[in-house]
Amino acid sequence: MYLFLPVSFNSFALFGKLHVNMVPKYNPSETETRWQDRWSADRLYQVTEESTSPKWYELTMFPYTSGDLHIGHWYAMAPSDVHARFRRMQGYNVLYPMGFDAFGLPAENAAIRHSIHPFIWTMQNVENMRSQLKRMGSCYDWSREIITCLPEYYKWTQWLFLKLYHGGLAYRAKAPVNWCPLCQTVLANEQVIAEGICERCETPVIKKDIEQWFFRITRYADELLDYSKIQWPERIKAMQTNWIGRSEGVEVGFGLEHPDLADQELRVFTTRPDTIYGVTFAVLAPEHPLVDKLTTPEQRPAVDEYVAHTKTQTEIERLSTDGEKTGVFTGAYAINRLNGERVPLWIADYVLLSYGTGAVMAVPAHDARDFDFARKHGLPIRTVIAPPGWSGRDLDEAYVESGTMVNSARFDGMTSEQGWQAIASYMESQSYGKRTVTYRLRDWLISRQRYWGAPIPMVYCDKCGIVTVPESDLPVELPPDAEFRPTGESPLKYCDSFVHTRCPACEGPARRETDTMDTFMCSSWYMLRYASPDYDQAAFDPDRVNYWLPVDQYTGGAEHAVMHLLYARFFIKAIRDLGLINFDEPFLRLFNQGTIIAQRHKMSKSRGNVINPDQYVAELGADVVRAYLMFIGPWEQGGEWDDSGINGINRWFHRIWTLVTETQEASFPAHTVNSEAEHELLQKTHRTIKKVTEDLERFRFNTMLAALMEFTNYLSKVATDKAVSAAAWRESLRDLLLLLAPTAPHLMEELWALTGNPYSIHTQPFPVWGEQLVAEEEVTLVIQVNGKVRDKIVVPISITQAEARDLALAQPRVKAHVEGKEVTKLVYVPRKLLNLVVK
RNA sequence: GCCGAGGUGGCGGAACGGCAGACGCGACGGACUUAAAAUCCGUUGGGCAUCGCAGCCCGUGCGGGUUCGAGUCCCGCCCUCGGUACCA
């Protein structure tokens, strides 16, 4: 329906080689694939380190091998392609690679459902997606392609795992971890999203106590909070900061009186030591190890029942009680050492074992949760921080702000901030408290009970224990003949040829680790591999990594804020400390494009609203689809896919085609006759160059295209008026093509060739504006009376205030509003406006 | 609840504190055509007024404020979207 119509050619002044009887029309499919083949054959986009130009590493998050590129992929990839092309034309030595995130559960599910091996399924998808990416007109250096599921890549993933292990950053531990019953695997905290559901399949996760492999990301918590070396969107930095959840407080020991305990202390973490005189009870998580020992015989039945009930609850149930604070008394007491008070010990599921010490001191007067709990269970509430103007009466709700300390013995009268420090110091001096920093961030759980991932290169030997696979034996390859069971159990576990091996240390019989690595491990270092994808001595060639890295510009979706983006930052810092690299951050600049939605919802296969760009590409060409996606609105805002406007871009490109191919250069005067018109053309051209350049720098593609449309409209008038010389016309047309080359690489290459220019437009320098040509000589001065616009006058830029005032007062429309009144004030903004305030 | 982004014509969206609505879509009118499509030209925030030319008033989620001047800055709300949530 959107087919380009035949363009009627009346003259061929620009390219006499075309025969008049031919009816040349712009056939996007033919033209675009022809140029794509040529670029590919010429290796136009391959780069090396041998260059005197400054380097620029531009990277887009590589796609998961789901099978098809939908419009969301295009929205992520086309604009970054434009930016990379722009940088290349600006003279940078640009590394702009592409690859595939190829491990993951969907491949394994396909194996179970359709009896196709994950490798075959994945590689078919890679083939398909690679050709779709090429059809987009992208300028990737395909000689550097990486596919994470190939042994030549995951060998180095395993190699890096061993480096972390030897560096003390990978460890195996038993812990209560998130288990997704549908995916049949554990998940990292970051992969459990809102309401405790699995990030991939949205199934509620449950807690399981199993031995797993972890990376010590928590060791880097503080450094991860330092964003001073990167230019990232505030929103992503805020999300990471919240996720890491650093909080400063005091770990306080409460005394315990119990005959069986070696350590007579209950440790709690608090951020409000200033409220310690308000403690009226303490609460332990139901799973807290002391619960069993402390519970008195009378309370045991109630406690046991509550603990058992908590265990059966899923995360969702436990969290969805909506503020309903349940709990039971253990019968035991602890001593608040500041005032010697005995406080009852309760257990309640609002206290989490995984945070802080798994126990809290409860100050109902100054904590909303403790307040609810105290109200519900009839526990006392004692005010120790007085709100401003406090009458001394009981509080109606918890007062959590700062105030003046009361009921706090010798700390009374201090502000809560002073009291915080004073009490913390006092407790430290008495050795039962210590200033501590606690984080919400947990170590990264990286093992998965799945087949389609990089095997963890570890061996279990009855004699030697846990033994690493020697580097020389890498990669530990996935067995091709594993059996995919409909139950979803890990195929590796039941693959004898894989499991049974020899111990690298003692040569005796041993078992392989059957867990594989989280796919986020593969994507934590892929940006390094692109620098030297052929290197076979290590994961990367230090020289080439030092040349290209860090990534100068990274682009991708915000959904990876606390997954991929956090893991990659950790990973770079970790291997820096192992001496493998010498920089601190993987991605210097980050730009997050928004989400493209359809029918008000995120596109998803399950919702059935996935837009496939192929039909649009076939009818209109990739150039039109690229440009339309960029024209919808600001890139960072995303937007709704609605094809009703796509014809506007189609028409515009058509107009450019006509303008270039039908305008006879010979019909313009050979020499300048109207210098004013020519000067204006020059100015408009250079102002457009400036606008387009600045917009490309800032990823403001929509306004860049608007400026180019305006410029095209202007050139159409110039082509009609023919008041400029042929040379001036040729120059401006040439700049139009160059400015649009990153956006519409095929059409511009075609027009560039048709106008007799040497191949290729994409190796040309980007136009540069002249400052003197963008400067204004005349400006439109807005004349206001009492802030309302009454007239506009065109004046030379050199006009003085007095001249402007006199000129303004002489305007009839201004006169009408000033006459008979007194001008009490005059606001003059040079080059902008003149405001007359009258009374 | 907390953090972040946003709210502007029929629609997508422009606008260093200084002409609100660039650019595009759609709609309407005209040219071309046997006709339609495509293309080209024109109009297009609302209201008043006008043969036409001018002209006047209102208008950027709501309510205040700062300023000669506010879509833009400040204070208080409402709504939408994204993230996060018993984190002590």
Side-chain angles (χ1 to χ4, degrees):
Chain A
M1 75 206 268
Y2 290 118
L3 280 175
F4 247 111
L5 285 191
V7 176
S8 63
F9 279 69
N10 302 316
S11 61
F12 300 95
L14 287 168
F15 38 99
K17 56 184 182 257
L18 281 179
H19 194 270
V20 178
N21 290 334
M22 293 168 65
V23 182
K25 55 182 172 184
Y26 184 66
N27 177 337
S29 290
E30 184 278 324
T31 309
E32 291 186 345
T33 51
R34 172 160 44 81
W35 285 118
Q36 283 160 15
D37 291 346
R38 173 96 189 260
W39 299 330
S40 172
D42 296 344
R43 303 173 203 282
L44 192 67
Y45 303 122
Q46 287 189 22
V47 280
T48 69
E49 298 73 47
E50 272 86 62
S51 169
T52 51
S53 309
K55 71 95 182 178
W56 182 265
Y57 188 175
E58 180 117 11
L59 188 64
T60 299
M61 291 178 188
F62 65 168
Y64 172 68
T65 51
S66 55
D68 258 312
L69 288 192
H70 57 72
I71 209 80
H73 288 106
W74 274 66
Y75 193 68
M77 291 167 178
S80 59
D81 186 71
V82 172
H83 193 259
R85 286 176 174 278
F86 164 64
R87 280 279 181 262
R88 199 166 277 160
M89 290 175 79
Q90 277 190 316
Y92 288 92
N93 189 34
V94 176
L95 173 60
Y96 184 54
M98 183 44 71
F100 298 93
D101 186 17
F103 272 137
L105 207 46
E108 213 165 320
N109 290 337
I112 294 165
R113 277 203 288 271
H114 309 298
S115 300
I116 179 171
H117 194 277
F119 180 82
I120 307 290
W121 184 85
T122 302
M123 294 310 282
Q124 282 174 354
N125 289 346
V126 165
E127 288 295 322
N128 186 42
M129 292 171 77
R130 190 195 293 121
S131 70
Q132 286 177 310
L133 284 166
K134 288 183 176 175
R135 188 64 192 82
M136 195 170 82
S138 53
C139 64
Y140 302 118
D141 177 354
W142 285 105
S143 71
R144 293 169 183 267
E145 179 191 76
I146 58 172
I147 299 170
T148 60
C149 70
L150 298 181
E152 64 222 51
Y153 183 87
Y154 72 72
K155 169 181 180 175
W156 302 113
T157 307
Q158 293 171 340
W159 185 84
L160 287 163
F161 174 92
L162 292 178
K163 293 284 177 202
L164 291 194
Y165 179 77
H166 292 308
L169 290 169
Y171 65 95
R172 190 170 161 80
K174 188 168 184 174
V177 296
N178 308 299
W179 173 267
C180 173
L182 184 63
C183 297
Q184 292 266 312
T185 184
V186 298
L187 300 168
N189 281 3
E190 289 78 12
Q191 288 147 38
V192 179
I193 55 172
E195 309 288 315
I197 61 174
C198 170
E199 182 244 345
R200 193 166 280 287
C201 68
E202 304 194 348
T203 303
V205 303
I206 57 173
K207 288 282 181 192
K208 266 198 174 184
D209 243 358
I210 20 180
E211 268 200 28
Q212 294 292 313
W213 286 97
F214 294 88
F215 283 162
R216 285 191 204 281
I217 189 171
T218 50
R219 191 176 282 181
Y220 289 86
D222 277 319
E223 199 190 338
L224 287 167
L225 288 167
D226 176 8
Y227 308 102
S228 60
K229 289 170 179 152
I230 51 180
Q231 296 164 42
W232 281 25
E234 289 305 321
R235 138 177 97 120
I236 302 295
K237 292 192 283 188
M239 283 164 79
Q240 293 201 346
T241 299
N242 290 340
W243 186 260
I244 294 166
R246 183 182 201 275
S247 61
E248 292 180 8
V250 177
E251 202 177 300
V252 186
F254 276 65
L256 289 178
E257 300 160 331
H258 199 276
D260 304 343
L261 286 175
D263 195 11
Q264 302 270 320
E265 200 163 57
L266 171 70
R267 302 203 69 82
V268 302
F269 174 74
T270 181
T271 55
R272 294 294 301 272
D274 53 315
T275 64
I276 196 155
Y277 284 86
V279 173
T280 54
F281 59 103
V283 188
L284 287 76
E287 310 90 336
H288 196 287
L290 283 177
V291 169
D292 191 46
K293 289 178 182 146
L294 291 172
T295 303
T296 59
E298 309 83 71
Q299 290 301 109
R300 185 157 303 274
V303 167
D304 285 352
E305 194 200 335
Y306 188 78
V307 170
H309 176 69
T310 306
K311 267 188 192 149
T312 62
Q313 282 186 315
T314 63
E315 274 309 86
I316 287 194
E317 285 163 347
R318 186 163 167 177
L319 296 175
S320 69
T321 44
D322 264 339
E324 182 77 352
K325 297 274 182 292
T326 62
V328 295
F329 180 43
T330 62
Y333 290 84
I335 307 295
N336 181 352
R337 285 165 170 159
L338 261 104
N339 55 13
E341 280 183 11
R342 267 160 55 93
V343 295
L345 293 180
W346 288 65
I347 60 169
D349 65 2
Y350 81 89
V351 174
L352 309 173
L353 184 66
S354 58
Y355 186 78
T357 62
V360 301
M361 60 180 223
V363 185
H366 306 293
D367 181 283
R369 295 156 301 183
D370 299 343
F371 189 91
D372 289 350
F373 194 83
R375 273 275 168 94
K376 180 140 194 262
H377 298 97
L379 293 156
I381 299 170
R382 183 195 306 149
T383 306
V384 292
I385 306 292
W390 183 52
S391 65
R393 289 217 320 272
D394 287 349
L395 300 168
D396 294 330
E397 54 179 0
Y399 178 72
V400 299
E401 312 292 317
S402 51
T404 307
M405 296 185 54
V406 294
N407 297 324
S408 298
R410 61 195 181 82
F411 301 97
D412 280 355
M414 289 185 183
T415 65
S416 40
E417 288 83 2
Q418 290 165 338
W420 201 110
Q421 299 301 337
I423 290 178
S425 296
Y426 177 74
M427 291 192 295
E428 283 182 339
S429 73
Q430 300 296 305
S431 304
Y432 53 75
K434 190 174 183 343
R435 286 182 172 86
T436 317
V437 177
T438 298
Y439 301 89
R440 213 183 74 108
L441 181 71
R442 302 266 72 91
D443 274 342
W444 175 14
L445 198 176
I446 58 117
S447 43
R448 296 290 178 271
Q449 290 68 50
R450 304 304 326 163
Y451 169 83
W452 198 232
I456 294 172
M458 287 288 171
V459 168
Y460 299 99
C461 170
D462 288 338
K463 248 167 69 190
C464 311
I466 299 178
V467 184
T468 57
V469 174
E471 266 184 40
S472 54
D473 289 354
L474 296 183
V476 175
E477 286 203 50
L478 287 169
D481 55 351
E483 187 193 339
F484 297 92
R485 305 180 172 214
T487 57
E489 283 172 294
S490 173
L492 289 181
K493 226 166 146 179
Y494 299 96
C495 183
D496 288 350
S497 63
F498 180 81
V499 173
H500 298 304
T501 185
R502 301 222 151 259
C503 170
C506 71
E507 301 278 315
R511 286 168 298 110
R512 278 195 195 282
E513 169 66 72
T514 57
D515 282 358
T516 54
M517 283 183 248
D518 182 1
T519 57
F520 282 113
M521 170 69 183
C522 309
S523 55
S524 286
W525 73 280
Y526 80 117
M527 60 283 183
L528 304 175
R529 188 67 187 168
Y530 283 131
S532 53
D534 56 340
Y535 196 64
D536 61 2
Q537 303 300 302
F540 45 84
D541 175 354
D543 289 342
R544 283 185 275 171
V545 158
N546 284 333
Y547 175 79
W548 288 115
L549 275 284
V551 173
D552 293 284
Q553 181 67 61
Y554 199 37
T555 62
E559 68 273 18
H560 286 298
V562 295
M563 291 192 267
H564 165 58
L565 289 169
L566 189 65
Y567 296 145
R569 289 184 68 214
F570 153 69
F571 202 84
I572 290 300
K573 293 172 196 302
I575 66 169
R576 171 204 62 198
D577 290 345
L578 296 172
L580 297 176
I581 52 171
N582 58 11
F583 50 92
D584 306 306
E585 293 280 354
F587 314 117
L588 296 182
R589 296 175 195 79
L590 173 69
F591 190 97
N592 284 121
Q593 80 274 2
T595 311
I596 194 105
I597 57 172
Q599 293 137 39
R600 309 256 307 141
H601 294 287
K602 221 173 198 168
M603 282 180 216
S604 70
K605 273 184 187 166
S606 56
R607 213 183 279 276
N609 62 346
V610 176
I611 306 290
N612 186 312
D614 293 356
Q615 50 172 340
Y616 297 101
V617 175
E619 288 169 9
L620 302 168
D623 286 341
V624 169
V625 180
R626 288 165 65 104
Y628 181 59
L629 283 168
M630 293 191 291
F631 189 63
I632 288 174
W635 198 27
E636 69 269 26
Q637 276 174 30
E640 168 122 30
W641 171 262
D642 168 10
D643 66 8
S644 66
I646 198 167
N647 210 24
I649 299 289
N650 187 34
R651 276 201 285 252
W652 175 42
F653 283 177
H654 188 187
R655 277 205 310 280
I656 293 176
W657 174 268
T658 313
L659 186 70
V660 174
T661 57
E662 282 194 35
T663 310
Q664 301 173 65
E665 199 179 291
S667 66
F668 285 88
H671 301 288
T672 299
V673 285
N674 185 338
S675 60
E676 203 175 298
E678 189 148 331
H679 184 63
E680 190 187 73
L681 174 61
L682 205 55
Q683 277 195 326
K684 286 240 158 57
T685 305
H686 280 247
R687 282 173 194 163
T688 305
I689 294 169
K690 182 169 193 243
K691 172 76 177 154
V692 168
T693 305
E694 289 174 351
D695 281 351
L696 279 170
E697 300 275 1
R698 297 178 304 153
F699 297 99
R700 300 292 301 265
F701 302 108
N702 57 330
T703 48
M704 166 193 80
L705 292 173
L708 283 165
M709 287 175 183
E710 267 182 274
F711 186 51
T712 308
N713 294 343
Y714 176 73
L715 287 181
S716 297
K717 279 198 200 79
V718 173
T720 311
D721 298 346
K722 300 211 166 43
V724 303
S725 70
W729 167 254
R730 193 188 312 127
E731 267 306 299
S732 291
L733 210 55
R734 185 189 143 89
D735 285 333
L736 174 69
L737 301 187
L738 289 167
L739 292 174
L740 255 177
T743 301
H746 315 89
L747 179 58
M748 293 307 119
E749 185 80 282
E750 181 78 357
L751 289 173
W752 186 255
L754 285 177
T755 45
N757 289 293
Y759 173 81
S760 157
I761 192 171
H762 302 299
T763 58
Q764 294 293 315
F766 205 71
V768 178
W769 74 90
E771 280 305 335
Q772 71 288 354
L773 285 167
V774 298
E776 314 263 348
E777 292 135 19
E778 283 186 327
V779 289
T780 303
L781 203 62
V782 173
I783 312 298
Q784 296 182 343
V785 179
N786 288 345
K788 285 193 197 288
V789 180
R790 295 304 177 187
D791 209 347
K792 301 159 203 173
I793 51 177
V794 176
V795 297
I797 200 152
S798 56
I799 194 167
T800 64
Q801 178 172 341
E803 288 167 348
R805 182 199 57 212
D806 294 346
L807 201 56
L809 288 169
Q811 305 301 312
R813 279 178 246 167
V814 176
K815 261 189 199 158
H817 289 93
V818 176
E819 238 158 16
K821 292 170 184 163
E822 186 196 348
V823 177
T824 56
K825 187 166 179 178
L826 191 120
V827 181
Y828 179 62
V829 182
R831 312 172 57 163
K832 291 280 183 206
L833 97 169
L834 183 76
N835 187 12
L836 301 158
V837 184
V838 301
K839 232 192 283 189

